[in-house]
């Protein structure tokens, strides 16, 4: 009986000794630090000075403190622009009146605004180009923006005689008026491309069967693979769309009107 007990104890102890212990579970490797880099791009175009033609005839001298009535029947003039033109005449020492017995009449002959062909802006090389600049410049070499051509025409007439004593016209395109470059930004973002594969590998290696199979063996966990991806361009500043360019037209008309009125020679 004692022999049987000893035999059973020996067999049990041997069974425990030869039971195979599974390998330790694998843990997820730490993810690398991902970076995002933002770049700015500048686009420029050629500019032109406003075209101005002004002719003043010597038949009648325009004198300080003479009165001028503004006629707007031939053009659509906003109250704001009318006020600005009146102020420009006052600055020339002429008095604006609404009465019909004025010394002169200033007729706004034309206030034209016309969309023209798009203006092309080309990318400008920075003083210190960043690493990806050349590749980005090839991908986004130019930008196309809406463009408006503005023209203003005026005529000053001596009221008593009906003689035209001055006439002038001026014009400019929207890009030459605002002269702002276009500023765009884009980002370079790092991403992990094989995260699901790494997770699947860890999960598979942590099954009971796999842990038993890799006892005493080294297992190499796949490394994270990273890829840099560029975002699309995002405009930061500079008028480009039809809506943005159209918003410039009141200032363009005032600018051209001011240029013309400044050409009137007042003695």
């Amino acid at each position: 009986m004692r022999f049987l007990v000893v035999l059973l104890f020996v067999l049990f102890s041997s069974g425990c000794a030869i039971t195979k212990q599974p390998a330790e579970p694998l843990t997820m490797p730490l993810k690398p630090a991902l970076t995002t880099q933002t770049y700015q791009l500048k686009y420029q175009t050629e500019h032109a000075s406003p075209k101005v033609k002004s002719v003043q005839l010597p038949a009648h001298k325009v004198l300080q403190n003479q009165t001028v009535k503004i006629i707007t029947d031939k053009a659509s003039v906003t109250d704001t622009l009318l006020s600005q033109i009146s102020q420009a005449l006052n600055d020339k020492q002429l008095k604006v009146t609404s009465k019909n017995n004025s010394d002169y009449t200033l007729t706004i002959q034309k206030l034209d605004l016309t969309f023209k062909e798009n203006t092309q802006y080309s990318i400008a090389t920075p003083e210190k180009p960043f690493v990806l600049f050349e590749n980005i410049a090839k991908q986004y070499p130019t930008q196309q923006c809406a463009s408006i051509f503005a023209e203003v025409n005026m005529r000053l007439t001596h009221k008593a005689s009906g003689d035209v004593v001055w006439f002038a016209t001026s014009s400019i395109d929207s890009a030459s008026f605002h002269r702002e470059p276009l500023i765009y930004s884009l980002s370079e973002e790092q991403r992990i491309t094989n995260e699901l594969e790494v997770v699947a590998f860890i999960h598979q290696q942590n099954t009971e069967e796999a842990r038993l199979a890799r006892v005493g063996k080294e297992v190499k966990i796949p490394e994270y693979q990273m890829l840099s991806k560029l975002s699309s361009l995002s405009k930061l500043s500079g008028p480009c769309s039809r809506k943005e360019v159209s918003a410039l037209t009141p200032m363009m008309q005032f600018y051209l009107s001011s240029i013309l009125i400044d050409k009137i020679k007042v003695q």
Side-chain angles (χ1 to χ4, degrees):
M1 183 66 179
R2 181 181 297 175
F3 175 77
L4 181 60
V5 171
V6 172
L7 180 62
L8 290 173
F9 176 77
V10 171
L11 290 175
F12 178 77
S13 300
S14 300
C16 292
I18 62 175
T19 299
K20 195 174 184 180
Q21 295 296 317
E24 291 294 321
L26 298 180
T27 58
M28 285 292 296
L30 293 176
K31 295 180 182 179
L34 302 179
T35 60
T36 299
Q37 182 70 42
T38 300
Y39 305 102
Q40 283 195 2
L41 304 174
K42 180 166 72 173
Y43 292 82
Q44 297 175 319
T45 190
E46 294 183 356
H47 303 131
S49 299
K51 294 181 179 179
V52 180
K53 180 180 179 181
S54 175
V55 177
Q56 187 158 342
L57 303 174
H60 302 274
K61 294 181 179 180
V62 182
L63 305 176
Q64 292 185 15
N65 295 319
Q66 286 187 311
T67 56
V68 179
K69 181 179 180 179
I70 302 174
I71 307 298
T72 60
D73 296 344
K74 296 185 178 182
S76 178
V77 182
T78 65
D79 291 341
T80 299
L81 181 58
L82 182 60
S83 175
Q84 292 168 334
I85 292 174
S86 298
Q87 183 59 52
L89 289 169
N90 289 336
D91 293 341
K92 296 289 290 186
Q93 304 303 313
L94 296 172
K95 296 181 178 180
V96 177
T97 181
S98 59
K99 297 180 180 180
N100 292 325
N101 61 346
S102 61
D103 297 307
Y104 293 94
T105 57
L106 178 70
T107 304
I108 313 299
Q109 296 282 103
K110 181 188 291 186
L111 282 176
D112 275 0
L113 295 169
T114 308
F115 276 102
K116 50 181 287 190
E117 291 184 4
N118 287 349
T119 298
Q120 179 172 289
Y121 287 74
S122 300
I123 195 167
T125 303
E127 292 184 5
K128 296 181 179 179
F130 49 88
V131 176
L132 294 178
F133 175 78
E134 186 174 343
N135 291 335
I136 294 174
K138 290 179 180 178
Q139 189 174 356
Y140 303 104
T142 60
Q143 298 294 331
Q144 300 290 328
C145 291
S147 181
I148 289 180
F149 181 77
E151 184 177 9
V152 175
N153 184 283
M154 296 181 181
R155 183 180 67 194
L156 189 67
T157 304
H158 185 252
K159 185 69 179 293
S161 64
D163 295 335
V164 175
V165 298
W166 172 83
F167 58 91
T169 184
S170 60
S171 61
I172 196 170
D173 65 88
S174 52
S176 296
F177 170 71
H178 67 77
R179 293 179 175 262
E180 293 181 54
L182 302 177
I183 306 298
Y184 285 81
S185 71
L186 78 165
S187 299
E188 179 191 15
E189 181 181 355
Q190 288 184 328
R191 296 181 180 180
I192 297 174
T193 60
N194 65 334
E195 184 174 359
L196 292 179
E197 288 84 346
V198 174
V199 171
F201 179 84
I202 297 294
H203 178 74
Q204 188 276 329
Q205 288 295 321
N206 283 343
T207 61
E208 190 69 23
E209 182 180 354
R211 289 175 62 191
L212 289 171
R214 60 182 171 84
V215 171
K217 299 178 182 179
E218 287 190 13
V219 176
K220 185 177 181 181
I221 300 174
E223 295 182 356
Y224 287 114
Q225 302 295 322
M226 292 190 297
L227 176 70
S228 293
K229 184 176 181 180
L230 290 175
S231 67
S232 57
L233 289 184
S234 176
K235 187 166 71 68
L236 299 179
S237 64
C240 187
S241 67
R242 289 175 72 95
K243 182 178 180 180
E244 291 168 338
V245 172
S246 295
L248 299 173
T249 55
M251 292 179 287
M252 293 173 68
Q253 290 179 330
F254 170 57
Y255 173 67
L256 295 176
S257 299
S258 298
I259 290 176
L260 293 188
I261 292 174
D262 191 56
K263 294 292 183 181
I264 301 175
K265 297 175 183 178
V266 180
Q267 299 183 12

